[in-house]
C-alpha cells in the first residue's frame, strides 16, 4: 500500500484552511499564523487531516479494539487546569468562593465513541513533535513514549492511581488557585465609564451586530436551561465579543460573554459559547456520533471525574453551541519551561490521565492490558505519523509563502 504523501497532505490542509468559511475573514490569516509556529502547532490545528490520513492508510491505525468515549483530539496541549463545579471544604463546610482546580484532559470538541488507540496514537505523535519544545533528544523522547504507555495501561486496565504530580503541573495548579477573579477580568476587560468591556485586540474582536442579537437570546436560553431562577440576575449580559482562542477550532463561531456576576465592576463572570460540529474522527467510527454540543458534554461527563463548571448547551440559528464558565487557555503546560528531569514524570501523568479517562468512559473495553508487542507497534506508528506531519508542516509553510 502506498505510504502517505506528506506534501499532498500539507497542501490539502493549506487549501482547507484557506477556503474555510469563517464568521470573520481575518480569522483565516490568524489560524495560518498559529499553525506555522511549529510541527506540533500544525498537528494541533489539523485534526481532520490526521484522521483522513489514518482512513487512507489503515495500517497506521491497527491495534487493540478497546472502545469508549474519547477525547478525539488528544495531544500534549489539550491537558490543562480548569475550574470544576466542586468547592473547597474549609472547616466543616464547602466554600463556593474557593473552587477546586484540577489538571486533566480539557478539550472534548472532537470527542467520539471509538477505539482507545485513536487517542493514544495522537497523544504519542504529539509527544514526538513536542521534542523541540521539550528540548529533548531522540532517546529521551522514546523513553517518554514508553513511560506514557506504561502509565496509560496501568490506569486504563488496572485502575492504578495517578503517579506523583510533577512540578510543572503543581506550578499550574498553584497559579490557578492563587489567581483572583479581578485578575482574570483585568486581563480580558477594561473599565469604560465605570462598566467593564472586552478589550478588543489579540484576544477579542468586535461581534457583528447581526450576531449579537442572536447571541443574547442563545445565552438566555442557556441560563434558562440551568434551572436556577434564583440567581438569574447574575447572568445579565454586560458585554459580548468574538473570542479568539484555540488552533484547530480557530475560525469557528466563539462568543465571549461578560455577565453581571456579583454586581460590582470587579464581580463579573466570563462565559464562552462555542460552535460545535461534526467531529473529525467520524469517518473511522462505526457508532453514530451526534454533531452537536450535547456530544461534547456527554464525552466530558463520561471521561472526567470532575467536569468543568456550569456546562450547558444552546442554539444560535442552526448552530449548536457549548457554553461553559471561562477556563483560561493559558493554564496549560509551557513546554519550553519543563526541566529535562521532569519530562518522564510529565509523560507518565499525561498517560495516566488519558488512561483514567478511557477507563471511566469505556463502552467495550477488555480486561487484558495491551501486550508489549502491541505497545511497541503503537510507538512505531506514532513515530511514522509524527514524521509525516513534520514534512506536511513544511509543505504547508511553503504553500503559505507562494
Amino acid at each position: 500500500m502506498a505510504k502517505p504523501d506528506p506534501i499532498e497532505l500539507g497542501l490539502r490542509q493549506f487549501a482547507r484552511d484557506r477556503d474555510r468559511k469563517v464568521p470573520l475573514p481575518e480569522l483565516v490569516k490568524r489560524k495560518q499564523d498559529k499553525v506555522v509556529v511549529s510541527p506540533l502547532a500544525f498537528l494541533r490545528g489539523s485534526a481532520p487531516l490526521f484522521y483522513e490520513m489514518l482512513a487512507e492508510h489503515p495500517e497506521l491505525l491497527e491495534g487493540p479494539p478497546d472502545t469508549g468515549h474519547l477525547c478525539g483530539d488528544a495531544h500534549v496541549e489539550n491537558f490543562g487546569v480548569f475550574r470544576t463545579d466542586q468547592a473547597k471544604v474549609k472547616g466543616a463546610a464547602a466554600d463556593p468562593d474557593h473552587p477546586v482546580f484540577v489538571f486533566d484532559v480539557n478539550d472534548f470538541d472532537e470527542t467520539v465513541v471509538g477505539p482507545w488507540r485513536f487517542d493514544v496514537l495522537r497523544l504519542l505523535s504529539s509527544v514526538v513533535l513536542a521534542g523541540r519544545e521539550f528540548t529533548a533528544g531522540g532517546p529521551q523522547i522514546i523513553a517518554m513514549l514508553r513511560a506514557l504507555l506504561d502509565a496509560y495501561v496501568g490506569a486504563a486496565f488496572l485502575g492504578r492511581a495517578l503517579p506523583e504530580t510533577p512540578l510543572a503541573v503543581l506550578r499550574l495548579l498553584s497559579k490557578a488557585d492563587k489567581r483572583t477573579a479581578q485578575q482574570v477580568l483585568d486581563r480580558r476587560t477594561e473599565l469604560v465609564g465605570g462598566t467593564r468591556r472586552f478589550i478588543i485586540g489579540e484576544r477579542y474582536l468586535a461581534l457583528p451586530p447581526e450576531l449579537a442579537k442572536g447571541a443574547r437570546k442563545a445565552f438566555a436560553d442557556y441560563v434558562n436551561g440551568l434551572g436556577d431562577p434564583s440567581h438569574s440576575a447574575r447572568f445579565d449580559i454586560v458585554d459580548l465579543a468574538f473570542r479568539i482562542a484555540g488552533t484547530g477550532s480557530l475560525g469557528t463561531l466563539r462568543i465571549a460573554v461578560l455577565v453581571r456576576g456579583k454586581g460590582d465592576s470587579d464581580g463579573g463572570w466570563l462565559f464562552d459559547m462555542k460552535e460545535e460540529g461534526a467531529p473529525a474522527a467520524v469517518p473511522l467510527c462505526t457508532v453514530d456520533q451526534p454533531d452537536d454540543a450535547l456530544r461534547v458534554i456527554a464525552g466530558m461527563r463520561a471521561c472526567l471525574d470532575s467536569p468543568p463548571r456550569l456546562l450547558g448547551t444552546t442554539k444560535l440559528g442552526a448552530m449548536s453551541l457549548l457554553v461553559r464558565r471561562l477556563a483560561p487557555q493559558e493554564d496549560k503546560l509551557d513546554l519550553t519551561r519543563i526541566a529535562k528531569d521532569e519530562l518522564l514524570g510529565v509523560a507518565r501523568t499525561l498517560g495516566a490521565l488519558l488512561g483514567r479517562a478511557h477507563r471511566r468512559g469505556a463502552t467495550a473495553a477488555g480486561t487484558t492490558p495491551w501486550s508489549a508487542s502491541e505497545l511497541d507497534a503503537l510507538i512505531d506508528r506514532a513515530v511514522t505519523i509524527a514524521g509525516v506531519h513534520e514534512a506536511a508542516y513544511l509543505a504547508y509553510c511553503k504553500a503559505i509563502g507562494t
Side-chain angles (χ1 to χ4, degrees), residues 81-85 96-102 307-309 325-327:
V81 174
F82 55 85
R83 181 176 179 170
T84 73
D85 276 326
D97 289 330
H98 292 81
V100 171
F101 291 92
V102 298
R309 66 184 319 218
R325 184 88 176 261
L326 182 70

Side-chain angles (χ1 to χ4, degrees), residues 116-352:
W116 290 354
R117 64 184 186 273
F118 291 1
D119 269 355
V120 176
L121 270 175
R122 190 156 171 81
L123 179 57
L124 291 172
S125 301
S126 78
V127 170
V128 177
L129 292 176
R132 287 195 183 95
E133 284 89 340
F134 285 138
T135 64
Q140 192 166 21
I141 290 174
I142 297 301
M144 290 176 66
L145 300 182
R146 295 194 184 283
L148 187 156
L149 285 173
D150 176 71
Y152 172 84
V153 169
F157 291 95
L158 307 176
R160 190 187 300 163
L162 294 180
E164 182 179 356
T165 305
L167 289 176
V169 174
L170 290 175
R171 289 192 292 267
L172 279 182
L173 290 166
S174 176
K175 175 184 173 184
D177 193 44
K178 293 176 181 176
R179 183 190 296 118
T180 66
Q182 183 174 343
Q183 287 172 332
V184 173
L185 287 171
D186 286 343
R187 288 179 64 89
R188 295 161 176 80
T189 66
E190 59 187 349
L191 283 172
V192 179
T195 302
R196 285 196 178 267
R197 301 293 181 194
F198 285 110
I199 299 171
I200 302 302
E202 286 302 307
R203 198 188 297 266
Y204 300 106
L205 299 175
L207 191 66
E210 62 271 19
L211 284 175
K213 181 178 179 180
R216 289 179 178 276
K217 181 181 184 305
F219 189 76
D221 291 342
Y222 154 75
V223 173
N224 289 336
L226 294 177
D228 186 8
S230 62
H231 296 299
S232 60
R234 294 188 174 188
F235 294 93
D236 290 343
I237 294 176
V238 176
D239 198 17
L240 297 163
F242 192 101
R243 186 173 181 225
I244 305 298
T247 301
S249 62
L250 187 57
T252 59
L253 182 63
R254 196 160 188 173
I255 299 172
V257 185
L258 171 64
V259 302
R260 182 170 176 265
K262 295 183 178 180
D264 56 62
S265 61
D266 295 331
W269 297 343
L270 296 167
F271 286 82
D272 182 42
M273 297 200 299
K274 185 177 184 181
E275 175 188 358
E276 301 291 350
V282 160
L284 298 176
C285 296
T286 58
V287 179
D288 289 338
Q289 313 285 343
D291 60 351
D292 58 22
L294 289 173
R295 167 185 55 82
V296 180
I297 290 181
M300 286 184 176
R301 290 181 173 158
C303 293
L304 298 178
D305 288 327
S306 302
R309 66 184 319 218
L310 293 175
L311 284 175
T313 66
T314 190
K315 290 274 191 178
L316 201 167
M319 289 182 288
S320 178
L321 305 180
L322 175 74
V323 190
R324 62 190 287 184
R325 184 88 176 261
L326 182 70
Q329 293 297 304
E330 62 265 25
D331 288 340
K332 296 183 178 182
L333 293 171
D334 183 347
L335 306 184
T336 64
R337 297 184 62 187
I338 300 175
K340 286 191 176 182
D341 60 0
E342 293 182 61
L343 291 179
L344 285 180
V346 169
R348 290 190 187 97
T349 294
L350 299 186

